[in-house]
Amino acid sequence: MFSRMKSCIPGNVWPAIPEPAGATMLAVQYQLEKSQWLPPEQVLDLQLRQACQLLAHAAAQVPYYANIMRHTAVKPGSRLSLEKWRRLPILTRETVQRAGKSLLARQLPAGHGKINQIHTSGSTGTPVTAFGTDLTQFFWRAATLRDHLWHQRDFSAKFVAIRSEAALQPGKGVERQGWGPATDVLLATGISAALNIRTDVASQAAWLTQQRPVYLLSFPSNIVALARHFQATGLGLPTLREVRTYGEVAGGEMRQLCRETWGVPVTDMYSSQEVGYIALQCPDHEHYHLQEGVFTEVLNEMGEPCRAGEVGRVVVTNLHNFAMPLIRYQLGDYAELGEPCPCGRGLPVLRRIMGRVRNLLILPDGRRHWPSFPSKEWSVIGTIRQMQMVQHDLESIEARIVADQPLLPAEEDRLRQILVERFGHPFRIDITYHVEIPRSGSLKYEDFISEVPAA
């Protein structure tokens, strides 16, 4: 990193003297470098100290929380313990929608900057509008830079992204000098290129071969489609070193496809539009480390903390958002808590991010689980190119298929058999054919959706 650091003093390259914004970023990275190695209880203590500041501000400036604090035993400004923290109510998306402007702060502390609006995708079926500040954006960028540093990326290399970019027309990529504001405030970085994810996969692949990326960022579902296309066509990406993913569940099948197709690892990240980075993938393992700036709880159905190996709902608090505090905010995601990491970092571990509530299969007896139907089991049937499952009720599931031609009756029967075996129940499988299966409004793709109301 030091060889790429920018200096604001002409003729002075070592030691570099960053411009003020870069110096601020460097100072925060120094603190994060230290805090990641602290014991978990010390990390928790730092988070609770910051949470105390957030609660005091919320009680004084946010009407919704002023009312909440009057009805709890938590006293704003007093020393905050984990036990007291858990007395605060869980905040749901529905509550955020109803509360509206009562969640907005009347006034911000000095230095937090301008307020910006955040629209969530509504992938849980309940979109919300949130607000952040320049400070929350700064910490988002700080986590991005930390991720680069953790994984020791070459800042001089070419970084390519295929994602949603409103300014880009599908099929027309752009190149830019630098990787973006998270890095370029401090470091001299190489060329980056971007392409709208609405571009068809074949055109994406052709564009990538021209770009010769070292790092590739996109949604997991798009990476899977690209890998299959590269395998089918014999195309290659000889310069590629790493695939980076975000926004969807990063499954084992995708990681294996990337190893088989390009010989590269996958690095995933876990974030949400409302609160920013929740967890980054460990540099040494495929699990995730929770980030200090977002206090994350994984709770069971009784609202109690999960133990390692247990799956629970994800509840988060951005400790630096004073514009619209979302305190103990239930995202709608489920994750599995992990054991302490052998890498030595004291940051808690998420072993797996399971997905949204609406991605849970519900059996007639009330049991629920995340279904798994790897494409290698169904892609050999006929000419299936894409498939999405939709559970309409407790006895039937629609298999939406994109295929070059309709399956033969025997092929449809074989597909139904495979799916019933994977689902663990003799559901009626209704096969329907489609020209394409569109992504959601946020351009994410879900291979399983349940429309059965949660109990």
Side-chain angles (χ1 to χ4, degrees):
M1 179 180 78
F2 293 115
S3 64
R4 307 294 300 180
M5 196 173 295
K6 293 178 180 178
S7 180
C8 66
I9 306 297
N12 183 86
V13 296
W14 173 253
I17 300 177
E19 62 180 34
T24 302
M25 177 64 79
L26 187 60
V28 168
Q29 292 299 325
Y30 174 83
Q31 294 174 72
L32 294 176
E33 168 62 27
K34 298 299 181 183
S35 65
Q36 66 182 319
W37 303 110
L38 294 175
E41 57 272 14
Q42 289 189 32
V43 175
L44 176 61
D45 180 66
L46 290 171
Q47 290 180 312
L48 290 176
R49 284 173 56 190
Q50 180 60 34
C52 185
Q53 297 293 314
L54 180 67
L55 284 179
H57 166 79
Q61 297 293 341
V62 181
Y64 175 84
Y65 284 109
N67 180 60
I68 289 291
M69 295 303 180
R70 283 195 291 268
H71 297 87
T72 68
V74 180
K75 302 300 180 185
S78 63
R79 183 173 176 80
L80 189 61
S81 66
L82 197 54
E83 188 270 332
K84 288 181 179 178
W85 175 260
R86 289 174 180 153
R87 296 178 192 172
L88 296 169
I90 300 294
L91 183 68
T92 66
R93 285 174 173 258
E94 291 78 12
T95 302
V96 173
Q97 285 182 318
R98 291 196 303 269
K101 292 184 178 180
S102 69
L103 273 167
L104 287 174
R106 290 185 289 259
Q107 188 174 353
L108 289 178
H112 285 241
K114 299 186 299 295
I115 293 176
N116 53 77
Q117 193 170 16
I118 305 162
H119 293 287
T120 71
S121 64
S123 57
T124 59
T126 311
V128 301
T129 299
F131 293 85
T133 65
D134 290 344
L135 182 65
T136 57
Q137 286 191 341
F138 171 83
F139 279 110
W140 184 294
R141 292 168 181 170
T144 299
L145 180 54
R146 175 191 240 183
D147 184 62
H148 292 322
L149 296 174
W150 270 12
H151 296 279
Q152 300 180 22
R153 297 188 181 113
D154 178 359
F155 291 109
S156 68
K158 190 166 192 177
F159 163 63
V160 167
I162 302 176
R163 57 188 172 194
S164 172
E165 290 210 20
L168 292 180
Q169 295 182 2
K172 295 183 178 180
V174 297
E175 283 194 357
R176 308 178 178 108
Q177 182 59 51
W179 287 11
T183 52
D184 297 352
V185 70
L186 182 63
L187 303 166
T189 53
I191 293 173
S192 65
L195 183 69
N196 194 310
I197 198 170
R198 292 186 185 275
T199 305
D200 70 89
V201 171
S203 297
Q204 287 184 38
W207 180 78
L208 282 173
T209 58
Q210 295 173 352
Q211 290 295 323
R212 297 178 60 82
V214 174
Y215 303 109
L216 169 61
L217 172 72
S218 194
F219 288 147
S221 59
N222 194 57
I223 293 296
V224 168
L226 280 168
R228 290 178 184 151
H229 181 85
F230 272 78
Q231 286 185 347
T233 58
L235 293 172
L237 291 175
T239 58
L240 191 65
R241 296 183 202 167
E242 179 188 25
V243 167
R244 299 174 59 212
T245 55
Y246 74 108
E248 300 170 349
V249 174
E253 179 187 16
M254 179 202 63
R255 295 180 185 274
Q256 182 60 31
L257 268 173
C258 289
R259 286 190 290 266
E260 293 174 354
T261 308
W262 300 305
V264 300
V266 172
T267 301
D268 189 41
M269 64 194 80
Y270 179 34
S271 64
S272 89
Q273 292 167 299
E274 304 98 305
V275 300
Y277 281 96
I278 299 166
L280 298 176
Q281 185 173 315
C282 177
D284 304 316
H285 304 277
E286 289 186 354
H287 57 229
Y288 305 77
H289 284 292
L290 294 174
Q291 298 299 288
E292 300 95 320
V294 176
F295 186 38
T296 303
E297 304 168 77
V298 182
L299 307 177
N300 63 22
E301 295 304 315
M302 302 299 293
E304 299 168 344
C306 288
R307 294 172 294 184
E310 294 181 339
V311 174
R313 54 195 170 127
V314 178
V315 173
V316 293
T317 305
N318 184 319
L319 298 174
H320 302 105
N321 188 348
F322 283 48
M324 185 177 178
L326 298 177
I327 298 171
R328 304 200 79 201
Y329 175 55
Q330 183 173 293
L331 274 179
D333 290 347
Y334 278 72
E336 179 185 341
L337 204 63
E339 298 281 357
C341 186
C343 75
R345 290 175 176 84
L347 304 177
V349 169
L350 291 184
R351 185 169 175 268
R352 291 182 297 166
I353 292 106
M354 311 300 295
R356 298 290 190 178
V357 174
R358 79 180 201 148
N359 303 132
L360 273 167
L361 173 73
I362 304 178
L363 297 172
D365 62 6
R367 288 179 296 145
R368 302 186 298 171
H369 65 85
W370 276 268
S372 172
F373 42 98
S375 63
K376 64 181 181 181
E377 296 193 8
W378 51 260
S379 60
V380 296
I381 299 176
T383 56
I384 299 176
R385 291 190 286 110
Q386 190 180 16
M387 185 164 64
Q388 182 184 63
M389 304 291 133
V390 181
Q391 183 177 13
H392 295 294
D393 54 49
L394 293 177
E395 292 295 342
S396 67
I397 291 176
E398 178 187 2
R400 297 173 177 172
I401 290 175
V402 175
D404 293 334
Q405 59 188 27
L407 302 183
L408 298 172
E411 292 172 330
E412 288 190 348
D413 290 343
R414 176 58 183 151
L415 178 61
R416 290 188 177 96
Q417 180 184 353
I418 290 172
L419 294 176
V420 165
E421 290 174 355
R422 299 297 303 186
F423 291 144
H425 179 78
F427 288 103
R428 185 181 78 248
I429 307 296
D430 300 316
I431 297 174
T432 60
Y433 293 91
H434 303 262
V435 175
E436 66 173 345
I437 299 174
R439 294 175 177 271
S440 68
S442 63
L443 299 184
K444 297 180 182 180
Y445 176 76
E446 296 167 291
D447 57 7
F448 183 90
I449 300 171
S450 175
E451 296 180 345
V452 179

